[in-house]
Amino acid sequence: MSLNDTLMQDMKTAMKAKDKGALTTIRSLKAAIMNYKIKVGHDLTSDDELTVLSSALKQRKESLEEFTKAGRDDLINQTKNEMKLIEKYMPKQMSKEELEETVEETIKEVGASSKKDFGKVMQALMPKIKGKADGKAASSIVGKKLN
């Protein structure tokens, strides 16, 4: 079942349950997918869908930071619920150990030995962890490993 089909099923369930929060989040995901589909001009692959979901999750994380700074508890809870719902559609996230292992493998593959190779490592690493790990976390691990 494609992501769009899954979202449609979940949207129907949310409507029947009168869950306005979930319904709003699912509708925004459907809109983001449709906008991305229009932007690229073809049906979305699973990688494209993952890109849209990752982007939506990243937006929520950034919003959560801002709401926390502003002390907006009402929006903090709402955003956390949205993030949980979006994560439901994402692939299983890598643990810190799995991420470190993947970084080490990538460093060996690329033959990196110093900070100068940071870009090469990140370029090879990002497709491997797309949607499964946070880019900032990966970047910091690569930085530590290349020291």
Side-chain angles (χ1 to χ4, degrees):
M1 188 183 286
S2 75
L3 176 63
N4 209 23
D5 294 338
T6 305
L7 287 171
M8 197 60 149
Q9 286 296 112
D10 290 351
M11 189 166 81
K12 288 176 187 175
T13 305
M15 282 179 177
K16 288 177 183 174
K18 297 185 179 3
D19 185 350
K20 289 183 181 180
L23 189 57
T24 302
T25 304
I26 292 169
R27 283 183 173 153
S28 74
L29 288 175
K30 285 184 63 61
I33 288 170
M34 186 57 67
N35 288 337
Y36 194 79
K37 183 178 179 180
I38 291 168
K39 179 181 170 185
V40 296
H42 59 76
D43 285 340
L44 302 184
T45 64
S46 58
D47 267 359
D48 292 334
E49 290 173 345
L50 195 55
T51 300
V52 173
L53 288 174
S54 296
S55 175
L57 192 59
K58 183 178 179 185
Q59 287 173 348
R60 276 20 177 236
K61 284 180 182 177
E62 290 169 356
S63 296
L64 187 61
E65 290 174 17
E66 294 300 317
F67 296 150
T68 305
K69 287 178 189 173
R72 295 289 309 265
D73 293 334
D74 56 329
L75 294 176
I76 290 172
N77 293 331
Q78 177 185 343
T79 305
K80 283 182 180 177
N81 290 337
E82 289 177 8
M83 288 171 61
K84 284 179 192 170
L85 185 65
I86 295 170
E87 286 169 351
K88 180 178 127 180
Y89 302 108
M90 301 280 289
K92 182 182 171 287
Q93 297 295 296
M94 294 176 125
S95 68
K96 186 172 181 166
E97 293 78 26
E98 291 173 321
L99 181 59
E100 284 181 6
E101 195 175 298
T102 306
V103 167
E104 288 172 7
E105 289 171 7
T106 306
I107 288 172
K108 288 176 186 169
E109 283 175 20
V110 191
S113 58
S114 69
K115 285 263 190 202
K116 290 179 185 177
D117 300 320
F118 183 86
K120 279 198 296 187
V121 173
M122 288 303 291
Q123 187 176 8
L125 177 67
M126 288 313 288
K128 293 179 184 178
I129 65 167
K130 184 177 185 177
K132 299 177 192 167
D134 182 38
K136 288 181 184 178
S139 176
S140 73
I141 292 173
V142 170
K144 290 175 188 171
K145 299 280 183 188
L146 290 179
N147 244 349

